[in-house]
């Protein structure tokens, strides 16, 4: 059985992960509206990864005999000044999520909840990857600046991303 304080914090994290999915889906919609279908594809895959993250917390709560309570999801922004600004916002959001995961680790340590702590280690590693990928996208877009050709190349590159369905609860995607 999981302590109430931990399960409440995990329910809150489901909300954060679902907001991440919502945010990236909104960015994908905006990219499509600008004809940047490759960047939209990358963000659509990211949306599915975020859903998988939310489901990891969902499953953990259920497995520990507690109750999932879905909380309200805020409306995300719908427009950005440029693809660069959108990806900068994505990086800032990932840094925010890393802070939330770190807080959960601190809580699980305080409560001596070793099972939760073990599950959270996957997220610690995942956030390193999430921030690194988001940061690379920002760097690429900063490099191409206003070049239409450069933007098209980045669009093609990001469009190659495909979603890998997690094969077990220990895998959350690529
Ligand atoms: Fe769930 O890692 Fe991004 O937000």
């Amino acid at each position: 059985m999981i302590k109430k304080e931990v399960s409440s914090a995990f329910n809150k994290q489901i909300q954060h992960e679902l907001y991440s999915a919502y945010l990236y889906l909104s960015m994908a919609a905006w990219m499509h509206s600008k004809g940047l279908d490759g960047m939209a594809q990358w963000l659509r895959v990211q949306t599915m990864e975020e859903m998988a993250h939310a489901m990891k917390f969902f499953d953990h709560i259920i497995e520990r005999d507690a109750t999932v309570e879905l909380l309200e999801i805020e409306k995300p922004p719908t427009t950005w000044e440029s693809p660069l600004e959108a990806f900068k916002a994505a990086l800032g959001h990932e840094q925010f999520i890393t802070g939330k995961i770190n807080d959960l680790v601190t809580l699980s340590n305080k409560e001596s909840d070793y099972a939760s702590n073990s599950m959270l280690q996957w997220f610690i590693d995942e956030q390193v990857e999430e921030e690194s990928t988001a940061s690379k996208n920002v760097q690429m877009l900063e490099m191409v600046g206003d070049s239409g050709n450069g933007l098209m190349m980045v669009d093609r590159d990001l469009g190659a991303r495909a979603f890998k369905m997690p094969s077990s609860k220990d895998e959350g995607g690529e």
Side-chain angles (χ1 to χ4, degrees):
M1 185 77 182
I2 195 166
K3 285 193 183 144
K4 179 80 186 133
E5 206 184 347
V6 178
S7 70
S8 297
F10 282 2
N11 274 315
K12 185 87 189 146
Q13 189 62 27
I14 291 177
Q15 182 190 38
H16 291 315
E17 300 291 347
L18 290 179
Y19 177 78
S20 304
Y22 226 36
L23 174 66
Y24 296 136
L25 193 58
S26 185
M27 286 180 180
W30 183 76
M31 294 294 180
H32 276 305
S33 79
K34 301 287 167 197
L36 296 166
D37 294 340
M39 294 189 201
Q41 166 63 14
W42 192 94
L43 288 157
R44 290 167 74 127
V45 171
Q46 189 61 29
T47 299
M48 290 189 276
E49 273 209 12
E50 299 301 350
M51 289 296 301
H53 294 172
M55 291 312 293
K56 268 183 180 287
F57 283 100
F58 185 101
D59 287 339
H60 186 82
I61 294 170
I62 306 278
E63 281 168 8
R64 302 283 305 283
D65 245 352
T67 307
V68 168
E69 185 188 345
L70 295 179
L71 306 171
E72 196 174 356
I73 304 169
E74 191 189 320
K75 181 180 175 177
T78 52
T79 57
W80 289 267
E81 267 178 37
S82 63
L84 174 60
E85 288 308 313
F87 279 103
K88 274 186 183 169
L91 174 58
H93 183 69
E94 286 309 324
Q95 289 162 341
F96 165 78
I97 293 291
T98 299
K100 292 293 166 195
I101 297 292
N102 290 344
D103 289 347
L104 292 176
V105 173
T106 304
L107 177 64
S108 70
N109 283 336
K110 186 177 136 246
E111 299 294 339
S112 303
D113 185 341
Y114 304 114
S116 292
N117 200 285
S118 167
M119 188 272 290
L120 287 166
Q121 291 312 307
W122 184 92
F123 280 96
I124 294 283
D125 296 340
E126 177 68 2
Q127 281 311 119
V128 171
E129 196 184 304
E130 293 279 84
E131 282 195 36
S132 154
T133 323
S135 168
K136 269 184 209 142
N137 290 343
V138 168
Q139 277 175 350
M140 267 196 300
L141 285 165
E142 276 174 345
M143 231 160 8
V144 303
D146 291 335
S147 152
N149 278 349
L151 215 53
M152 274 175 62
M153 272 174 57
V154 174
D155 192 57
R156 203 177 316 130
D157 195 43
L158 294 184
R161 187 182 187 191
F163 180 65
K164 272 197 289 166
M165 193 62 188
S167 57
S168 82
K169 65 189 169 128
D170 297 325
E171 294 169 31
E174 65 174 11

